[in-house]
Amino acid sequence: MSTAVRRGGDLVAETLAALGATTVFGEPGQHALGLFDALSRSSLQYAGFRNELDAAFAADGYARVTGRPAPLMLSTGPGALQSLAALQEAAAASVPVVVIASQIPSAGLGARRRGFLHELRDQRALVAQVVKHAVQVQRPSQISSALQEAWEVALSAPHGPVWVEVPQDVLLATTDLPPVEPVPASPRVLAPRPELVAEAVRLLDGADRPVVIAGGGVVRSGAEAALLELAEKLRTPVVTTFGAKGAFPWAHPLSLQSWLEDWHTTEFLQDADVLLVVGSGLGELSSNYHSFQPRGRVIQVEADLGKLEANHAALGVHADALLTLEALAGAVAPREADGVAEKRVAEVLALVADRLAGQELGLEQQVLHAVRAALPDDAPSFWDMTILAYWAWSAWDARTSGSMQSAQGAGGLGYGFPAALGAAVARAGSGPVLAVSGDGGAMYGIADLATARQLDLDVTWLIVDDGGYGILREYMTGAFGAAYATELTRPDFVALAEAFGVPARSTTPETLQRDLAEALAAPGPSVVVLPALLRMFAPTHPGSGS
């Protein structure tokens, strides 16, 4: 038997491996050194980032492309706080990130205020306002059980980030506990209540104009095939939210695509006599900024209990999207394909296209088309909060379910590049990943060009440089007649990337497709900079002026 000293940190690493983790993201710090020392002796791969915000966004990206929890190791106080904006995004988008954070020594806990470095009054309570589950470990023997519980909570619908914090002395404490053996995680199964399924089937079978809104819960539960089966049996149109891109085939005759910010789509949804909403809370972005007011019956299938009927009265079904869609698809009566629903869908999409055609938006459509043409169909893309991303929410054909991801959950800047790096860690050797940022958002993650180079990750970063916070410029000009505090001095992004040893080039709208395709095809990281002033299409919700 080995005589090597084992400590609390080893219990953390062993438990993560036992739960099936293969990769850990993080940023070391003084109180967390026991975690990172244990990593060096473990089977876990470590992906280190240059700051905790980017490490947390990277864990998010990894979890989105794998569907598995992503462990994230953080230090106390400032390190923990740096991660919160990314954890808010993970919470809003139901992404399973498992944080293992250090704490000050146990002697300083319990409001003793002894003045330890990085000390917070109550770190766990602060973080608990953001994550799904937060617990503090007091003894080494608690570590494995606390991590397994957190792992299962993260994977139980609705998925979400969880937090386990361990005091420095507990991480460093020696232990004679036996090595942790593999343990299957058992997330809660959230099946629909049978009487609610029966009522939903009754409503759908009796509907003349049923419509489905498919939200991100469809993607997270892997319910795409069940959604397609239900839509084709009912001959019902389907619109996908911005978090569900690719959940339904873009070019399918019943696909309303994702034009949720267009009033023609909003009116079509309002006119449904039965509206089935699956895996969406119908929040601001999915309801045309809360202008959507359904006139028919609503059936809402949602794993997050707090979101049921939060915005509209409905037959609320608190359940997993996959289990519910399978039950509905197996029970509804099939309808004849008479072409009526397909014709109505085509009419709405034609109205959307006509409205865009009258706004002189050729440049924006050219750029988005070039990006789509350059990116392989199975390659994931991660979009920051920038004008091109807002276009993509509505107009991007995500040819693989879940292949387009953005920070539309919480809406913070700086998501695209580090999340793409996390996805590339998961996809090593499986093809490129695309990140898209504006010049403002790009500055948040610029330090992790070093990580991209150090780990040799296959990520191409498209930076659309318009000299400022472009969408805020538009908002302020529209609201106040002029913009203020939106114009930015920025670096030479090409030269800066090359200083990190990352190949980079500047492009134009005319050469973008070729340059981006070449960058994506080359191994390792790359940067493509597009100087362009893009505009949003005119909004059409009430009060927007359109």
Side-chain angles (χ1 to χ4, degrees), residues 273-298:
D273 57 349
V274 175
L275 182 68
L276 173 62
V277 183
V278 186
S280 171
L282 292 180
E284 184 176 26
L285 296 181
S286 300
S287 62
N288 205 351
Y289 301 89
H290 292 301
S291 64
F292 165 66
Q293 297 297 327
R295 295 189 286 269
R297 290 294 304 272
V298 177

Side-chain angles (χ1 to χ4, degrees), residues 427-442:
R427 286 171 49 86
S430 298
V433 180
L434 175 67
V436 181
S437 300
D439 55 293

